[in-house]
Amino acid sequence: MATLLSVNVGMPRNVPWQGHNVYTGIWKAPVDGARMVRRLNIDGDGQGDLGGHGGEQRAVMVYQIDSYAHWQRHFGRDDFTYGQFGENFTVDGLADDEVCIGDRYRIGEAEFEVSQPRVTCFRVGMRLGEPQLPALLVAHHRPGFYLRVITEGRVRAGDEIVRTREGRHALSVAAVDALLYLPDRDLDQLRAAVDIPALSPGWQQSFHELLDEADRGGTAAPPPIGREPRWSGFRQLKVVELVAESDGVSSVRLAAVDGTRLPTPAAGQYLTVRVAGAGDPAPVRSYSLSSDPRSDTYRISVKREPHGIVSGYLNTDVTAGTVLDVAAPRGEFVLGDGTEPVALISGGIGATPVLAMLHQLADEQSTREVWWIHASHSEAEHPFAAESHELLASLAHGHEHVFYSSGPVPDTTTVTRGRLTAEALRALRLPTDAVAYLCGPPAFMSDVTAALTANGIDADHVHTEMFGALAPNNPGVTDVSDRRPHPPPGEPGTGPSVTFARSGLVVASSDRYRSLLELAEACDVQTRWSCRTGVCHTCITTIVTGDVSYEPAPLEPPPTGEVLICCSRASTDVVLDL
């Protein structure tokens, strides 16, 4: 018979960690007497990151005393106390390889249902001072699990734990955890998992995505973040044409040095360019392809930014015959197949990737409704005006709407004086089943996305492209820096160079930093992570060129062309899409 050994609670608080403060509730401590368990929590308990912990699906965390003994042997420690693994219930029995998703248990006055394994997160390693623990919990098949509350009631240490119902398909917690985090997944088990009503919605969605990938002919592995690049590293391309598109915007057309046809990109992808003539070390920047994907050359269109070293060089110093180092087209902001209406929405130079999409639609003589919506300061600063107008005219169901915030407005029904506001978008009456592709300044994309969803377009049908730093994902960290990226403090490193392409920063790696993630954090480059041990793949990043080594090795390797920065270091000079 299983037994509840301890009830543990703790409210979230700020905890110093690696020079930051982390708001976390993982410090749990045993309580005396009975505690009321409610639908969302135990009285006196709380979580710092409600995106990954707590709530109806994760109301109570369970961990086993047998796993305590396992980790004491593994780490050679004898200082563990109840609640140290962040659990609310420390139990004798209920092993992860025996308890199944959907099992129900009576404990004291309350009844519970097993909803999912533990969310793999860095905080449990932080709590025990064992940074690799999140990966080890998965690798050793000892994650622990969450309960949802079926019947509220009081529980206390010493209560017996009685199973009242078995879960559908009898998939254990350890097996379900391995399905998400480990390679060589069993498709039959994946299909069984999505047929368990008790499995939490987040895990259901992840497994549906894995099955969708398998149904498309791929493997049952996490969907790749980037498409397979057509060549590795950088390749020399030469400038064959320069065109002034508007005030401050010039197009640079590139061709293979040997005259061969360049690989066909997907409409909406970008090039990463290393510009040796613009500085030392050579700066690296990314620019959307604005050309027809069927062209045998590539076109990038560059807005000259004040004090922009690279944009200034490409606008004024490049000439026909200049050779640039260029990485293969990359990016997942691409035009999808379908028959539903398409809304191509851009602000300023953000027109470049959606213009490539418009070219593809025109090439295909698409019968889809196509809405071209562009915002610019003025006619003089409107790139590709004639080109986009001509392409739209060739489509059976093209709609053109251009907004100028200042300056004169030409005598045409397609141009309006004013800003592209939520009210202006609402007046256009876009079809609610449209798929939208947005590119422009971050505030522009945020405002337009909100307006589109408010007008009935599904949020999943709104796709955005951003070339600045991606929004950080640093769970629980309350003091994320807003400083501009900079070299790390102290003496410069002596290791391979690391280029953060989105941040425009090149630094030498150093043994002071255990991973590329720690180096990025020292440079105030915005990052995305969760487990910090190669399990969750939140930190997955495109690597344009170079090689890395892993420590610890990830439980599942990332796709080709991607790297897990949380557990890797540069082996050679690398360029990262950060």
Side-chain angles (χ1 to χ4, degrees):
M1 181 73 69
T3 305
L4 178 60
L5 298 177
S6 179
V7 178
N8 315 299
V9 301
M11 296 302 293
R13 55 192 171 98
N14 279 315
V15 178
W17 173 80
Q18 295 191 6
H20 295 285
N21 285 319
V22 176
Y23 187 63
T24 177
I26 199 167
W27 265 259
K28 309 291 185 189
V31 297
D32 294 326
R35 278 293 169 112
M36 185 70 182
V37 181
R38 305 186 190 276
R39 188 75 64 179
L40 300 180
N41 227 325
I42 301 175
D43 282 359
D45 192 49
Q47 296 80 30
D49 174 20
L50 294 177
H53 307 275
E56 182 178 353
Q57 306 297 329
R58 301 176 293 264
V60 177
M61 176 68 203
V62 178
Y63 210 55
Q64 307 88 354
I65 195 64
D66 180 64
S67 288
Y68 268 72
H70 174 84
W71 297 119
Q72 285 184 167
R73 292 190 298 270
H74 180 85
F75 293 119
R77 294 174 56 170
D78 60 2
D79 58 341
F80 293 159
T81 58
Y82 291 151
Q84 197 155 357
F85 286 80
E87 79 276 11
N88 299 114
F89 291 171
T90 312
V91 299
D92 186 5
L94 303 188
D96 288 336
D97 59 357
E98 297 176 356
V99 170
C100 296
I101 303 298
D103 284 356
R104 289 192 178 184
Y105 294 93
R106 170 73 63 180
I107 307 175
E109 298 174 352
E111 187 176 17
F112 305 88
E113 184 174 62
V114 180
S115 58
Q116 66 173 71
R118 176 198 297 266
V119 175
T120 302
C121 166
F122 78 104
R123 295 176 188 82
V124 66
M126 168 186 168
R127 173 68 179 87
L128 274 85
E130 303 286 354
Q132 294 189 14
L133 186 59
L136 294 172
L137 290 173
V138 177
H140 290 221
H141 306 289
R142 294 177 178 272
F145 56 88
Y146 282 106
L147 300 172
R148 68 168 58 85
V149 178
I150 303 300
T151 303
E152 296 181 346
R154 288 182 292 275
V155 300
R156 70 174 66 227
D159 283 341
E160 291 186 347
I161 303 173
V162 180
R163 187 168 65 184
T164 59
R165 193 174 79 176
E166 295 183 7
R168 184 184 295 182
H169 300 305
L171 271 182
S172 73
V173 167
V176 171
D177 192 60
L179 279 177
L180 185 63
Y181 292 124
L182 296 178
D184 303 321
R185 296 170 177 84
D186 184 297
L187 286 177
D188 289 337
Q189 283 195 340
L190 275 174
R191 293 188 179 97
V194 298
D195 190 46
I196 302 175
L199 184 63
S200 66
W203 284 63
Q204 287 266 3
Q205 179 180 344
S206 295
F207 290 152
H208 275 296
E209 290 173 356
L210 292 169
L211 284 170
D212 288 345
E213 177 67 17
D215 290 341
R216 289 194 296 268
T219 60
I225 301 299
R227 295 167 182 251
E228 186 78 13
R230 300 302 294 272
W231 67 81
S232 61
F234 288 98
R235 171 184 177 181
Q236 288 192 330
L237 301 184
K238 67 178 179 180
V239 177
V240 294
E241 185 182 27
L242 298 158
V243 176
E245 303 288 358
S246 68
D247 288 355
V249 174
S250 294
S251 286
V252 180
R253 192 170 288 276
L254 301 163
V257 172
D258 60 7
T260 58
R261 183 182 180 87
L262 293 172
T264 300
Q269 289 191 310
Y270 63 88
L271 297 181
T272 299
V273 183
R274 185 166 60 195
V275 189
D280 184 19
V284 176
R285 299 290 188 273
S286 295
Y287 298 102
S288 289
L289 286 159
S290 59
S291 48
D292 186 335
R294 297 193 310 179
S295 173
D296 58 0
T297 59
Y298 293 159
R299 181 181 69 177
I300 57 172
S301 303
V302 181
K303 179 184 178 183
R304 183 167 188 176
E305 301 288 351
H307 313 297
I309 296 174
V310 177
S311 65
Y313 179 84
L314 293 174
N315 270 272
T316 60
D317 296 335
V318 164
T319 60
T322 298
V323 175
L324 301 175
D325 293 330
V326 181
R330 283 176 166 80
E332 287 296 291
F333 181 72
V334 297
L335 180 65
D337 297 329
T339 59
E340 60 271 84
V342 180
L344 305 176
I345 308 175
S346 57
I349 194 60
T352 51
V354 292
L355 181 64
M357 297 179 186
L358 183 59
H359 270 287
Q360 179 174 320
L361 292 164
D363 289 342
E364 297 169 348
Q365 284 297 287
S366 176
T367 58
R368 300 169 74 173
E369 276 195 78
V370 178
W371 296 72
W372 176 263
I373 304 169
H374 179 74
S376 185
H377 288 299
S378 65
E379 185 175 16
E381 298 173 85
H382 181 185
F384 319 114
E387 184 176 342
S388 57
H389 182 76
E390 182 179 345
L391 291 169
L392 286 160
S394 71
L395 293 168
H397 304 291
H399 307 268
E400 183 177 10
H401 299 278
V402 176
F403 295 81
Y404 293 159
S405 58
S406 62
V409 174
D411 186 15
T412 173
T413 59
T414 61
V415 181
T416 301
R417 173 67 182 274
R419 297 185 179 276
L420 179 55
T421 62
E423 183 178 350
L425 270 174
R426 186 165 52 250
L428 297 181
R429 298 184 180 277
L430 292 174
T432 56
D433 61 339
V435 178
Y437 298 88
L438 281 62
C439 189
F444 170 89
M445 289 194 291
S446 177
D447 291 345
V448 171
T449 297
L452 292 174
T453 55
N455 290 335
I457 293 180
D458 192 318
D460 291 338
H461 289 177
V462 180
H463 308 283
T464 60
E465 177 69 301
M466 181 182 295
F467 283 110
L470 298 171
N473 180 9
N474 310 150
V477 176
T478 58
D479 53 353
V480 176
S481 172
D482 59 358
R483 297 175 60 194
R484 292 178 60 85
H486 56 82
E491 291 293 319
T494 58
S497 71
V498 178
T499 299
F500 299 108
R502 288 179 184 261
S503 304
L505 181 65
V506 183
V507 298
S509 56
S510 167
D511 290 339
R512 297 198 306 271
Y513 307 107
R514 292 175 296 180
S515 66
L516 288 167
L517 172 59
E518 289 193 3
L519 176 60
E521 290 173 329
C523 298
D524 284 316
V525 171
Q526 291 191 353
T527 55
R528 304 168 67 84
W529 50 266
S530 181
C531 73
R532 299 181 74 96
T533 55
V535 179
C536 69
H537 285 218
T538 301
C539 73
I540 195 165
T541 299
T542 295
I543 181 168
V544 177
T545 186
D547 297 302
V548 302
S549 60
Y550 284 104
E551 179 59 41
L555 297 182
E556 180 167 28
T560 302
E562 308 290 334
V563 64
L564 302 181
I565 63 170
C566 75
C567 56
S568 62
R569 298 179 65 177
S571 301
T572 65
D573 294 348
V574 299
V575 176
L576 300 174
D577 188 29
L578 278 176

